[in-house]
Amino acid sequence: MELAEIKSTKNKEKNMAEHGAVRIPNQEYKERAKKAAEIIRREGLDALIVNSNEADYANARYFSGFWPLFERCGVAISPTGEAALMVGPESEKFAEDRSKIDRVFVLKEYREGADPSYPELHAASYRDVFAALGIAGKKLRIGVASFLDTSVIIMEGIREAFPEAEILRADQIMVELRSIKSVNELNCLREGYRIAELASQQVMKEIKPGMTELQMVGVAQRVLYENGAEYEGLPLYVFSEKSTRHAISRSSYRKFEKGDIVQLNLSAKIDGYSAAIGYPVVLGRLEGKRRDVVMFGLEAHRWTERQVKAGVEAKSIAENFYKYYVDNGYQDNFVYGPLHGTGMIEVEAPWVETSSEYALQPNMTFQVDTFISSDTFGVRWEKGIAVTEKGFDILSPEIGTLYELDF
């Protein structure tokens, strides 16, 4: 074999040996419940319930390692750190096999959206769950996190079980727990970014005029799974021309044409952690005003990097980021702020916005997400970083090259 073939074979063998090897250890899940219990006691709560669904599984998976399918799930935690996983009627065995929490309860409140009644099922209630965790009493103070993802049915179930309880929104507890990442969490993110870049480079090798956006999504998916991703970290973005103006969107059957701007935002999920990178690719040469807009986006991306350091007020970064657009004549192209949190979900709290009242801390993780839009196209330059005392560590491969492909 020639040298290039030997290297390729060795890389494939290495990837096979390490496939799925980067993970959160079981002990860390127990430590998370204990940390939550400290906050529960500090906040004067009798219990914390976090709820999740298939799309935003993060809060329940943070404690349990469980990612629901079709149905919802939740985790209840006591002030002593005892925890229980709550799942829908069809997920019991699935949850028992995957959960890092030993106690698993089936509650109808977590059933799927088709709303089956399960007349033969003898389901548990929130009272049963709390009793197993040693939580007693009627006039309880119950914190509920994932408020946006707590359905009316779930909330009604809690109220029915504890009609005299005070139910409080407790999303801030999960933001506090999840904002500062552990070494294992950072390793999961780094591995995800590595794989996302492999997928991005392969797409650029195979893309050509006449192919569709969705064909390139297929190429990216193949590379993600071959190299150890458990899933895509977000619905993979391969947008072209007009659809690149979409801040969020889905790829389509549009066929690429020579001269197109194509936006790649590809992401790999590693043990629940989602790592995305994004940059534009041009099917030809980019010139004139279009090039100016794209390169200003990259300049704004690099400006943001220079502001990041532990102790810096998030609000000030956001305010000056918008000012940077205004001062350079791009205020009409501004869409959103410079950074957003990342971790289990590619976009998670906290955001860096002009209303943000907190300072950056070491091991906070963010996407430097620089999106700029015009009337006919938009581009996003995006990568993952971790805050340090003196600045930041790049978790992903560096971005900053404008790829102009020849056809």
Side-chain angles (χ1 to χ4, degrees), residues 5 13-14 35 47 73 101-102 104 108 119 128 210 230 246 262 301 305 326 343 354 367 373 403 406:
E5 292 180 285
E13 290 173 351
K14 179 176 182 289
K35 289 178 181 177
C73 72
I101 297 173
D102 294 332
V104 178
K108 285 188 179 181
D128 298 321
E230 69 172 8
H246 303 171
V262 178
H301 183 87
E305 292 179 342
V326 173
T354 55
Q367 294 289 107
S373 185
Y403 293 99
D406 293 326

Side-chain angles (χ1 to χ4, degrees), residues 211-262:
M211 301 182 77
T212 70
E213 295 172 356
L214 284 165
Q215 282 179 292
M216 290 300 97
V217 169
V219 170
Q221 288 177 323
R222 183 192 76 224
V223 176
L224 296 184
Y225 292 120
E226 283 180 346
N227 286 278
E230 69 172 8
Y231 207 71
E232 303 101 88
L234 51 72
L236 301 182
Y237 286 11
V238 183
F239 306 152
S240 55
E241 284 303 299
K242 186 178 180 180
S243 65
T244 59
R245 297 173 302 129
H246 303 171
I248 53 175
S249 188
R250 295 186 185 275
S251 299
S252 72
Y253 290 104
R254 182 186 183 276
K255 293 183 179 181
F256 303 118
E257 299 178 8
K258 190 173 181 180
D260 279 356
I261 294 176
V262 178

Side-chain angles (χ1 to χ4, degrees), residues 136-201:
K138 295 181 178 180
K139 296 183 178 181
L140 303 174
R141 298 185 80 241
I142 302 171
V144 176
S146 314
F147 227 68
L148 283 172
D149 298 309
T150 296
S151 70
V152 172
I153 298 298
I154 291 172
M155 188 62 78
E156 285 180 347
I158 299 171
R159 294 186 197 278
E160 181 180 343
F162 302 102
E164 298 180 61
E166 181 185 3
I167 299 174
L168 304 97
R169 184 167 184 169
D171 293 330
Q172 76 282 357
I173 292 177
M174 296 311 300
V175 174
E176 180 177 343
L177 286 168
R178 289 171 52 196
S179 291
I180 309 297
K181 302 301 190 291
S182 70
V183 171
N184 294 309
E185 290 176 294
L186 294 174
N187 287 341
C188 286
L189 287 168
R190 285 192 179 95
E191 178 66 358
Y193 288 119
R194 182 188 72 84
I195 296 171
E197 174 64 4
L198 291 177
S200 301
Q201 292 296 320

Side-chain angles (χ1 to χ4, degrees), residues 310-332:
V312 174
E313 293 294 324
K315 179 178 182 178
S316 69
I317 298 177
E319 289 173 341
N320 289 320
F321 180 75
Y322 180 68
K323 185 175 183 296
Y324 188 77
Y325 273 68
V326 173
D327 290 348
N328 285 277
Y330 286 93
Q331 63 267 31
D332 292 339

